Amino acid sequence: MGGTNGGSKNSPTGGQGGSTPGASGGQTGSIASGGTSGSGNGSGGTSGAQPECQPVDAQKMIGCQGPDRVLCQYGKVDLRPCLDAGTSCVHIEETGVVGCFQCDPRTFVNRCEGTKAIYCTLNGRIREQTCSECSAGCCNDGDGDNVRGCDGDCDDADPLVFKGQTSYFSNASPSSFSFDFNCDGAHEPEYTALYSRDNTCCNCWLQSSVPACGQSADIRYCNGADAIAVQSCR
């Protein structure tokens, strides 16, 4: 508390303005305790209205402290424990994700136990799958797309390639140099119609043959606009 020699009030605890400085300065705390720093007169000199964390106008998980998540709630720090059994806080800095995970997909080593494949999903859950060829690696998920070789992943080095892929791509897979993104054994082009004066042209190529995957050609879209486009495949 501040000194009491008389004068104006300098201490936030009501000490009457003396020349004796407060006994205790501000303290620096951890991310969760929200300690502030300062050495002002009066008890616990603080840094004024400075927030404990950012952002000050919203709520956001900003990291982990031990097994708990750290929530910045309008400039104030609050710890949020993980309630599900077997989970703890994981902060993936690359994406900013903070969550209660069973495993860290960046460090978990997928493994085989007998005929069971044990793996960590991208959302931090441990999963098991039984397959007959686990020792050969078919049940491992090498590219993290949650589809293993025994589920129909024909390229376990590219997460965009797996059985059931519905998107089309204008560039071949960099690992297999193939356009077979849905693992059906073929290259399926997105647009196959050709321009004809006898029919209504909608997403049709303005040439005599359908361009191969990854090749550019003139196309007329359904809205009537002409453009140069790259043939996408899957």
Side-chain angles (χ1 to χ4, degrees):
M1 294 179 62
T4 58
N5 281 342
S8 60
K9 295 180 180 180
N10 291 326
S11 168
T13 60
Q16 297 179 2
S19 58
T20 306
S24 60
Q27 297 178 352
T28 300
S30 67
I31 189 173
S33 64
T36 56
S37 60
S39 59
N41 291 340
S43 61
T46 65
S47 56
Q50 291 184 356
E52 296 175 358
C53 60
Q54 296 289 343
V56 297
D57 58 351
Q59 300 183 75
K60 182 181 180 181
M61 293 293 179
I62 59 175
C64 300
Q65 182 158 304
D68 299 330
R69 296 163 295 165
V70 179
L71 172 67
C72 183
Q73 189 166 237
Y74 299 102
K76 298 295 183 181
V77 168
D78 188 19
L79 288 184
R80 295 296 174 92
C82 291
L83 302 180
D84 292 339
T87 63
S88 60
C89 181
V90 173
H91 182 196
I92 302 179
E93 292 84 356
E94 295 84 352
T95 60
V97 171
V98 177
C100 294
F101 286 6
Q102 292 178 329
C103 53
D104 189 335
R106 299 168 300 175
T107 58
F108 188 88
V109 178
N110 297 339
R111 65 186 185 276
C112 289
E113 293 182 359
T115 58
K116 286 186 177 181
I118 313 298
Y119 61 96
C120 181
T121 66
L122 293 179
N123 62 349
R125 294 293 182 263
I126 296 176
R127 295 288 184 263
E128 296 182 359
Q129 183 181 17
T130 300
C131 58
S132 60
E133 301 179 53
C134 189
S135 59
C138 87
C139 279
N140 292 332
D141 182 18
D143 54 15
D145 59 8
N146 292 334
V147 182
R148 290 152 299 285
C150 48
D151 291 331
D153 192 338
C154 58
D155 183 358
D156 211 22
D158 188 341
L160 297 178
V161 177
F162 54 86
K163 183 178 180 180
Q165 171 66 271
T166 59
S167 298
Y168 293 87
F169 300 90
S170 58
N171 293 308
S173 169
S175 60
S176 64
F177 305 104
S178 169
F179 279 93
D180 184 15
F181 284 89
N182 61 1
C183 296
D184 66 351
H187 293 174
E188 177 187 344
E190 183 174 14
Y191 299 130
T192 58
L194 295 174
Y195 173 75
S196 172
R197 297 181 183 275
D198 300 329
N199 58 27
T200 301
C201 185
C202 180
N203 294 333
C204 58
W205 300 101
L206 304 179
Q207 58 183 38
S208 60
S209 61
V210 176
C213 301
Q215 289 189 349
S216 300
D218 292 324
I219 193 172
R220 178 165 296 169
Y221 291 111
C222 295
N223 62 5
D226 293 348
I228 298 177
V230 178
Q231 178 71 284
S232 297
C233 295
R234 68 181 181 193

